[in-house]
Amino acid sequence: MPGMANGLVIIAVVVLTLVRQVRPQRVSTDAKGWWVLPAVLVFLAVREPGLIDPAHPAVSAGLLAGGVLAGLATGAAWAWSSRVWADESGEIWAQGSRATAAIWLGGAALRLGLHGLGALAGVHQGSSATMVTVAAVLLARTAVLLHRVHGIRPAYRVTAGG
């Protein structure tokens, strides 16, 4: 997939994710495929050449690792800043807050800062590194959100007979 198509995939995923954060979303506690979208993004990134700049492999790998760590931190902070609640029927809901938007902006600034450092060092960074970072954000966000949701669910069940 050429760089332009990778960029469009990144933009589509980010826009879809941000738009969904504005409205309350029901959270499924038995979601088994929550890791699929991040896995697809990593697969698309890894299959393309240019994830690591061959002219600067150590610096390029360090920037990639920094991007993944920044993505994991952004995703975890995003999940902790989201409002999570149970309604009267026991359904779990989540909605992003103003803090969530600030965290997204901060995460984007971190990614741009890493990209700027790479440019100053002469490291070519393609869209594949950004795809891996977005995958890390989504993976951490969903994992932390599901952890929070499991803390809300009661550890007992009310039965009809007792």
Side-chain angles (χ1 to χ4, degrees):
M1 189 180 321
M4 181 68 141
N6 281 354
L8 291 175
V9 168
I10 293 166
I11 290 169
V13 168
V14 169
V15 166
L16 177 67
T17 303
L18 288 176
V19 166
R20 291 186 65 193
Q21 289 307 298
V22 176
R23 295 172 292 170
Q25 297 288 319
R26 191 166 12 132
V27 179
S28 174
T29 57
D30 61 341
K32 292 176 175 59
W34 58 272
W35 52 269
V36 172
L37 180 58
V40 168
L41 288 173
V42 169
F43 173 77
L44 291 174
V46 170
R47 72 180 201 141
E48 292 292 320
L51 184 60
I52 302 291
D53 184 358
H56 306 92
V59 176
S60 182
L63 288 169
L64 179 62
V68 169
L69 290 174
L72 291 172
T74 301
W78 170 18
W80 282 109
S81 70
S82 295
R83 181 174 167 243
V84 179
W85 72 96
D87 65 12
E88 300 81 30
S89 68
E91 292 290 330
I92 306 293
W93 295 81
Q95 181 178 15
S97 64
R98 287 190 177 123
T100 305
I103 289 165
W104 263 94
L105 290 173
L110 276 172
R111 181 68 194 126
L112 288 172
L114 287 171
H115 194 75
L117 286 175
L120 287 174
V123 176
H124 172 14
Q125 299 177 79
S127 58
S128 297
T130 303
M131 287 178 85
V132 173
T133 301
V134 169
V137 169
L138 296 175
L139 189 69
R141 186 262 179 180
T142 307
V144 171
L145 191 64
L146 287 175
H147 173 73
R148 289 185 63 202
V149 163
H150 287 293
I152 291 175
R153 285 262 188 224
Y156 60 88
R157 290 189 183 252
V158 177
T159 60

